[in-house]
Amino acid sequence: MLDIPDGEPYLRLVSCGHPPPLLLRGGSAVPLQVDHPAPPLGLAEFVDTGFAAQSFSFEPGDVVLLYTDGVIEARDASGAFYPLPERAADWPGDGPEALLRHLCADLLAHAAGGLLGDDAAMVAIERVGHGT
């Protein structure tokens, strides 16, 4: 779960079982690892834990990329997993829509036979400055 307050230079994240979002900034892709992840939704009732949000810097020009495990578990013909952090970091930057088009095409080119073995979803959100 992600909360991005308007006009504030941060985001708040509760991790419930999905891979950590990537923060794209200045040619790098940094996983947003929370200190205290929660169990996957639907399993929380079986574990005595609370949901704790953790804050991360989210400045104008930053992009946060959320994705499912079907993206990073896509394999090429040799069995290698899709290297999402490296591929996202190599993206030159031209808005979140261009990032998603680029990554989708690259993911399908990576996957053996152009077929994914699992469902895959990605969402990219860019922090824009005031007045942009």
Side-chain angles (χ1 to χ4, degrees):
M1 293 181 276
L2 190 65
D3 176 37
I4 304 173
D6 290 338
E8 300 294 333
Y10 63 88
L11 58 80
R12 289 188 294 262
L13 174 66
V14 175
S15 178
C16 297
H18 276 99
L22 295 175
L23 178 66
L24 306 177
R25 174 188 292 156
S28 67
V30 178
L32 299 180
Q33 298 277 7
V34 298
D35 294 331
H36 303 287
L41 295 176
L43 298 179
E45 66 185 88
F46 302 112
V47 180
D48 185 24
T49 185
F51 294 100
Q54 187 166 336
S55 295
F56 296 90
S57 172
F58 192 47
E59 302 284 340
D62 290 351
V63 173
V64 64
L65 178 67
L66 299 106
Y67 54 95
T68 61
D69 60 352
V71 173
I72 57 174
E73 292 175 357
R75 295 177 185 258
D76 66 11
S78 72
F81 289 118
Y82 181 67
L84 179 61
E86 292 85 2
R87 301 292 173 86
D90 287 343
W91 173 68
D94 192 21
E97 290 179 36
L99 170 66
L100 293 174
R101 281 193 302 272
H102 168 76
L103 289 175
C104 285
D106 190 54
L107 175 63
L108 291 174
H110 172 87
L115 301 173
L116 301 176
D118 192 3
D119 61 315
M122 291 182 278
V123 175
I125 304 164
E126 181 178 17
R127 168 68 81 183
V128 295
H130 293 292
T132 56

